[in-house]
Amino acid sequence: MKRDNKLIIYILMLIITLLWGYAWVLMKDALTYMGPFTFSAFRFGTGAATLLLVVWIMNIGLPPRRYWKHLIVIGLLQTSAVFLLVMYALEFVDAGQSSVLLYSMPMWSSLLAVQFLGEKINPAKLTGLIVGIIGLFTIVGWDMWVGQPLEVIFGQLLIIIAAIAWAISNIYYRRNVSGLSQLQVSAMQMFFGTIGITLAALIAEWGEPIVFNATSIYHVLFTGVLASALAFTVWFFIISKIDMVTATISTLLVPIFGLTFSSLLLGEQLTVGILTGSALIIAGIVIATVAKER
């Protein structure tokens, strides 16, 4: 890949990780205005509507029907499963810690890429993955030792499952629909994913109060248009252009931004366990990536 093209991809990575990092603060604060599933339905409904409008204006058209079953799977994994689990877990887990746990996704993507994409793993890369996994258990384990409530531990486990679901969707995308337009993929998977989230919201949160004001509308619009429609389209573009490990390493910036924004805007405490675990996860992914490039 040419140097100029690499620079563009790195800039795009920085933009989407900033958007996703800040979005964690809004996702947490949105729970004061509506239920977690209801907010997700509004967020991704807005994102899907935005992308479908862009597809229509640009006259791109919908993808061939033979791809729809794959897009449904990606939508259910990346949009429905990930954000139903994450938004529910945010009722028990701090936004900063949640972002660290979800963005353990690169570890799971790397492991799955070895099995399903044929990417080879060497001792240094394996070491990096092990260090990252130790960091993950450090975040969860230290909290357990100091007497965290069971619901917090349950929330942490839900976010880890969400990270694995996202990793699976990355591999599934590369194997089945990477040849499609990124706008088509992002629009259709988000549309199908929104259907799953909306059904969950209707079943679990029907009749619960919803507060619409300037703040809650801002939360929906920012996370729906920028952190979902724009960011996930860019994400599909990135993982279609470069290898999975290099692409996913960029997302480790999100916990850094998420923890920073959560500390500054929500007053969440950066504990020793969170900081140590975060450092280990980042070190593990860096080790794995540097080893691959060499």
Side-chain angles (χ1 to χ4, degrees):
M1 184 180 295
K2 294 181 180 179
R3 184 180 298 274
D4 291 344
N5 292 339
K6 281 188 176 181
L7 178 61
I8 291 172
I9 287 179
Y10 292 150
I11 292 172
L12 291 175
M13 287 178 175
L14 179 61
I15 291 172
I16 65 170
T17 51
L18 272 168
L19 291 174
W20 282 340
Y22 176 57
W24 280 96
V25 175
L26 304 187
M27 289 158 59
K28 180 73 172 182
D29 190 55
L31 299 180
T32 62
Y33 302 102
M34 62 193 76
F37 300 164
T38 300
F39 171 75
S40 296
F42 282 125
R43 169 187 177 177
F44 289 104
T46 302
T50 301
L51 287 172
L52 289 171
L53 179 62
V54 171
V55 167
W56 177 70
I57 291 173
M58 297 180 66
N59 199 27
I60 295 174
L62 298 178
R65 286 292 182 92
R66 68 179 183 274
Y67 289 107
W68 283 32
K69 62 182 179 182
H70 300 307
L71 294 169
I72 290 173
V73 172
I74 295 172
L76 292 177
L77 283 172
Q78 180 159 308
T79 298
S80 298
V82 171
F83 288 95
L84 285 174
L85 291 170
V86 165
M87 289 304 298
Y88 183 70
L90 275 172
E91 295 195 279
F92 316 113
V93 185
D94 286 346
Q97 188 184 52
S98 299
S99 68
V100 173
L101 292 174
L102 181 63
Y103 288 92
S104 65
M105 174 272 292
M107 291 186 297
W108 313 116
S109 289
S110 299
L111 291 171
L112 292 171
V114 171
Q115 180 67 32
F116 297 103
L117 298 181
E119 294 189 8
K120 295 182 179 180
I121 187 166
N122 55 34
K125 191 171 180 181
L126 179 61
T127 301
L129 292 172
I130 292 173
V131 170
I133 292 171
I134 292 173
L136 186 69
F137 280 101
T138 299
I139 293 173
V140 179
W142 283 31
D143 285 341
M144 292 173 65
W145 283 114
V146 296
Q148 281 280 37
L150 286 177
E151 60 265 23
V152 174
I153 298 169
F154 176 67
Q156 293 168 337
L157 293 176
L158 289 181
I159 297 171
I160 293 172
I161 295 171
I164 295 171
W166 188 2
I168 294 172
S169 76
N170 289 336
I171 304 301
Y172 194 90
Y173 167 83
R174 283 281 293 271
R175 290 194 58 160
N176 296 287
V177 298
S178 60
L180 289 177
S181 157
Q182 282 78 44
L183 271 173
Q184 287 179 320
V185 173
S186 195
M188 294 303 292
Q189 72 85 17
M190 199 170 293
F191 171 75
F192 291 126
T194 300
I195 293 175
I197 291 175
T198 302
L199 290 174
L202 290 174
I203 293 171
E205 297 176 356
W206 179 261
E208 292 190 10
I210 301 174
V211 177
F212 282 118
N213 55 29
T215 302
S216 63
I217 293 173
Y218 168 72
H219 290 358
V220 169
L221 290 178
F222 184 96
T223 58
V225 177
L226 296 179
S228 298
L230 173 63
F232 279 107
T233 300
V234 173
W235 172 247
F236 284 124
F237 170 77
I238 290 171
I239 64 175
S240 69
K241 296 298 182 183
I242 59 178
D243 66 272
M244 189 61 66
V245 175
T246 304
T248 55
I249 184 62
S250 68
T251 63
L252 265 296
L253 288 172
V254 179
I256 297 175
F257 294 139
L259 288 164
T260 302
F261 285 130
S262 297
S263 177
L264 293 175
L265 302 177
L266 299 180
E268 294 181 358
Q269 184 179 4
L270 299 179
T271 65
V272 174
I274 292 174
L275 292 174
T276 304
S278 302
L280 287 171
I281 289 175
I282 294 171
I285 299 299
V286 170
I287 291 170
T289 305
V290 170
K292 177 187 178 303
E293 289 179 350
R294 289 183 178 178

